[in-house]
Amino acid sequence: MSEYTRKPWIRVGRIDEIPEDQALRLDTTPPVSVFRSDGEFFCVDDTCTHEDFSLADGWVEDGAVECPLHLAKFCLRTGAALATPACRPLATHEVRVDGADVYVRIERGGDDRVDGHCPGAIGSNAGRRDAEGAGHGMA
Amino acid sequence: MFDVTELVQPDQGLINPSIYTDPEVYQGELERVFARSWLFLAHDTQLAKPGSFVQTYMAEDPVLVVRQRDGSVKAFLNQCRHRGMRICRADEGVARAFTCTYHGWGYNLAGELVNVPMQDRAYHDEIDKSKWGPTQVPRLHNHKGFIFGTWDESAPAFEDYLGDMIWYFDALADRYDEGLTLVPGATKWVIDCNWKFAAEQFASDMYHVPSSHASALVALIEDPAVLAEFQEQSAAAPGRQYAGNGHGSGFGLRPDLVPTQAGPDFDAWVVANREQIYRRIGEHRALAVNGHNTVFPNFSWLTINNTMRVWHPRGPGQIEVWSWTYLPKDADERAKQAVRTSTIRTFSAAGVFETDDGENWTEIQQVLRGHQARKTTFNARMGLGHERHGTDGMPGRVTDDMYTEMAARGMYRRWADLMSGLSWPEITERDKSRQQREQEAHLA
Ligand code: FES
Ligand code: FES
Ligand SMILES: [Fe+2]
């Protein structure tokens, strides 16, 4: 993909608007959130892949975010699901810090869904959609 | 159903003891007294940051009291609307959301249902989540850091509900520039007695102290000469009792803010901050209003003994006491430690005074198992006809001696009005005309 066809950088806010272990949510569709953990900034999809919950309201610790509803956990760097009941990863997005400002670039390629059943998510909404091949979980 | 006029005659100081034992009366109290009154829920300092919560009770109903992101407070029934499980099973903590442990319904900090697992598959996307949140406590009021709530939309505004009691409450709530803080955690214990014994005693009963607490007093004050001095002081300055709107406050008049029961380390802090206290609540009030208090129905404290509690009713014959030690927020560590130690010694679950009180209430309840015992009438007539108004410039009905049962009669008056099903406007109206009559008589 050339630089010309890529999506533009979006300004999220000032660094100090995202304190350590907190997140700032962007109302894109679907929403994404920028997290700060150990001084580093990360951008991932905001909605937990288990059920529906805004991970900006989650618990951030050691580069991971935990969903308070049923305690699924995601790696902020890779988006990987680290703890059940979620098993599908979060989409990750580029982050750039420019001076005191934070920017993100949200690109959604093709299908970033992990195929197949979701053994950990017993009877979850996400699991059902996957099993039926009914399309993207979140998109 | 019960006939309230046969249960109490507050103006005569007569009590039918079945009000302490009858299960029907108790159910009536849950509906007509506790669900219609302002109840203490939590202190500001228990909810330090967004998501901080405590679970407490409004009578038998568990409620979650939660600090919101914007700093406000919300309270709602801790009951999942799916099948009634507790939404949150922790006593206190910091949360980002609450998830019912039974089937996993999820709620946000405001108590709105935000997630139903398998909404599409199991509910066919046909559930309207906005309709299935827990019951909200519709009215909350924060009085100088003390958060109260009521289920009743028609109850008077908090200030009107307190009436003149605010002046006595503020001897505690408004005492220090930096306010109060609580020693973390409530101490909880169970006493097998009716809630009214505890609430009434803290509203109205200084009379039991020399008798019930004789051994404790001797243990605390070994030197008979010191004790004699105390007694002389108390005889010379006979104290006061306030009663109004079901609330009560009683106190001995003291020549100085110190010595306190907490001892020299706390006294030093009090002396250093004496001017601050006088500036905030006035010297007269600071010296006088130092004793026992109840805000109707079940929130009580002992102003200078640094202890407050809620008497949560648990059936006609049991209460759960939730008690806290409060401290001036900016007191030094030595002063704070002194208060903690003295509160543990005196009014903790095993405190020397506390156990004396609980012993009496349990015994009364035991005796009331008897059929004959329940057919008697109790005497709450002390000081009847000797009520006063405006004694020493204090607001409301104030007697010129702390040994009286005016506040007990006031408490049963409010109790009877609520129990007989009068509406709040009717109660307020009756109270007003009663007060007018009394005031005219007292000042005549
Ligand atoms: S919604 Fe996040 S763990 Fe269930
Ligand atoms: S009882 Fe709460 S989810 Fe079923
Ligand atoms: Fe006592």
Side-chain angles (χ1 to χ4, degrees):
Chain A
M1 212 186 287
S2 90
E3 221 11 73
Y4 297 105
T5 57
R6 298 192 66 185
K7 292 279 196 297
W9 288 95
I10 305 170
R11 184 175 173 279
V12 177
R14 287 193 322 278
I15 291 180
D16 58 11
E17 288 176 76
I18 313 173
E20 180 65 19
D21 290 345
Q22 306 274 331
L24 198 65
R25 196 165 100 124
L26 279 189
D27 286 324
T28 51
T29 319
V32 300
S33 280
V34 179
F35 293 83
R36 183 182 192 158
S37 181
D38 295 331
E40 228 184 306
F41 292 89
F42 304 94
C43 181
V44 295
D45 274 3
D46 178 69
T47 310
C48 181
T49 64
H50 171 232
E51 291 274 347
D52 289 333
F53 195 80
S54 167
L55 292 173
D57 289 341
W59 300 102
V60 182
E61 200 177 55
D62 299 333
V65 59
E66 187 181 63
C67 176
L69 273 203
H70 314 103
L71 309 184
K73 208 174 184 179
F74 301 92
C75 174
L76 290 171
R77 194 180 301 280
T78 66
L82 302 176
T84 57
C87 56
R88 295 177 316 125
L90 296 167
T92 59
H93 310 285
E94 279 181 90
V95 187
R96 183 161 63 92
V97 177
D98 191 352
D101 297 308
V102 185
Y103 295 84
V104 296
R105 173 142 69 187
I106 303 160
E107 284 181 309
R108 298 191 183 273
D111 192 343
D112 55 13
R113 167 176 67 95
V114 174
D115 282 337
H117 284 277
C118 189
I122 300 164
S124 79
N125 287 337
R128 177 171 179 249
R129 278 194 291 264
D130 278 355
E132 289 177 350
H136 304 126
M138 300 283 87
Chain B
M1 217 31 188
F2 45 83
D3 176 358
V4 176
T5 57
E6 281 173 14
L7 295 179
V8 286
Q9 290 167 263
D11 306 334
Q12 293 305 311
L14 301 175
I15 301 167
N16 172 341
S18 71
I19 67 167
Y20 305 115
T21 60
D22 185 343
E24 245 187 81
V25 168
Y26 180 71
Q27 289 306 321
E29 289 176 330
L30 294 186
E31 180 195 332
R32 296 178 176 188
V33 174
F34 288 100
R36 297 172 68 199
S37 298
W38 283 96
L39 306 177
F40 173 75
L41 299 183
H43 189 263
D44 251 344
T45 53
Q46 292 177 278
L47 306 171
K49 51 186 175 189
S52 294
F53 70 90
V54 293
Q55 192 214 243
T56 184
Y57 287 88
M58 294 172 77
E60 301 250 26
D61 285 310
V63 292
L64 286 167
V65 189
V66 189
R67 178 76 69 193
Q68 305 296 299
R69 281 171 219 283
D70 66 0
S72 65
V73 172
K74 285 201 190 312
F76 47 89
L77 198 61
N78 189 10
Q79 180 196 39
C80 179
R81 290 281 298 285
H82 177 230
R83 211 62 104 250
M85 177 60 182
R86 235 177 259 266
I87 290 167
C88 171
R89 299 173 69 185
D91 289 341
E92 56 180 72
V94 181
R96 298 282 168 91
F98 299 103
T99 308
C100 177
T101 48
Y102 198 170
H103 311 92
W105 281 21
Y107 302 86
N108 65 15
L109 296 179
E112 293 158 340
L113 179 62
V114 293
N115 181 270
V116 172
M118 290 181 266
Q119 179 175 324
D120 53 357
R121 177 171 168 181
Y123 287 90
H124 307 277
D125 271 327
E126 286 165 0
I127 180 166
D128 180 353
K129 294 203 285 288
S130 70
K131 291 204 165 63
W132 293 99
T135 308
Q136 294 280 335
V137 179
R139 296 172 70 195
L140 297 177
H141 183 88
N142 186 330
H143 181 75
K144 300 187 169 132
F146 292 77
I147 301 163
F148 290 77
T150 179
W151 300 107
D152 190 344
E153 302 273 12
S154 74
F158 181 79
E159 281 90 355
D160 298 332
Y161 178 88
L162 251 71
D164 290 321
M165 184 67 194
I166 284 205
W167 191 82
Y168 301 88
F169 187 14
D170 281 350
L172 169 65
D174 208 18
R175 197 175 187 88
Y176 308 116
D177 286 342
E178 295 304 316
L180 297 164
T181 186
L182 304 185
V183 174
T187 309
K188 304 170 185 178
W189 65 94
V190 168
I191 304 179
D192 288 328
C193 75
N194 186 271
W195 66 273
K196 293 187 288 305
F197 292 131
E200 187 218 288
Q201 185 185 290
F202 274 66
S204 184
D205 192 339
M206 197 69 94
Y207 187 54
H208 77 284
V209 175
S211 167
S212 286
H213 300 307
S215 61
L217 288 170
V218 169
L220 282 182
I221 308 169
E222 276 167 298
D223 187 347
V226 177
L227 191 58
E229 197 186 308
F230 255 27
Q231 280 160 352
E232 270 162 39
Q233 266 179 20
S234 137
R240 306 279 179 258
Q241 188 183 90
Y242 156 82
N245 292 6
H247 320 302
S249 180
F251 34 84
L253 303 170
R254 307 181 75 221
D256 197 353
L257 292 178
V258 290
T260 70
Q261 168 197 287
D265 284 342
F266 183 60
D267 290 358
W269 187 88
V270 172
V271 168
N273 290 274
R274 196 195 320 249
E275 291 316 311
Q276 177 201 136
I277 298 168
Y278 288 172
R279 168 170 48 75
R280 295 190 65 85
I281 58 171
E283 179 173 346
H284 173 48
R285 176 160 45 157
L287 292 177
V289 185
N290 55 55
H292 60 75
N293 304 266
T294 290
V295 163
F296 185 89
N298 64 339
F299 178 51
S300 301
W301 68 95
L302 301 172
T303 311
I304 59 161
N305 302 87
N306 303 295
T307 181
M308 67 184 207
R309 62 270 319 277
V310 173
W311 321 102
H312 292 301
R314 292 291 178 267
Q318 196 175 75
I319 55 175
E320 230 175 79
V321 186
W322 286 29
S323 117
W324 297 268
T325 298
Y326 49 78
L327 303 157
K329 207 182 251 173
D330 60 343
D332 58 275
E333 264 321 303
R334 283 169 61 117
K336 286 181 171 170
Q337 187 51 48
V339 170
R340 279 196 288 268
T341 308
S342 86
T343 313
I344 287 170
R345 282 187 187 144
T346 52
F347 284 100
S348 67
V352 287
F353 292 106
E354 188 65 49
T355 46
D356 292 338
D357 293 327
E359 181 73 5
N360 289 326
W361 305 333
T362 317
E363 284 289 308
I364 301 167
Q365 199 74 31
Q366 284 274 334
V367 174
L368 287 176
R369 296 171 71 101
H371 175 68
Q372 295 302 329
R374 283 199 300 273
K375 286 203 310 189
T376 55
T377 305
F378 285 179
N379 178 325
R381 292 167 63 81
M382 189 193 307
L384 192 63
H386 298 273
E387 292 84 357
R388 296 276 178 280
H389 253 91
T391 312
D392 282 350
M394 294 178 187
R397 263 192 302 169
V398 186
T399 55
D400 55 11
D401 198 322
M402 63 187 180
Y403 295 133
T404 175
E405 285 167 347
M406 176 178 73
R409 290 188 291 276
M411 178 180 136
Y412 290 113
R413 163 50 59 206
R414 171 52 60 91
W415 182 88
D417 285 352
L418 285 167
M419 287 293 276
S420 54
L422 293 175
S423 72
W424 269 115
E426 285 168 336
I427 293 174
T428 311
E429 201 38 56
R430 284 185 190 205
D431 267 353
K432 210 188 279 167
S433 57
R434 266 197 295 261
Q435 260 169 41
Q436 228 154 35
R437 270 201 316 272
E438 282 170 5
Q439 206 160 344
E440 277 159 22
H442 294 163
L443 298 179

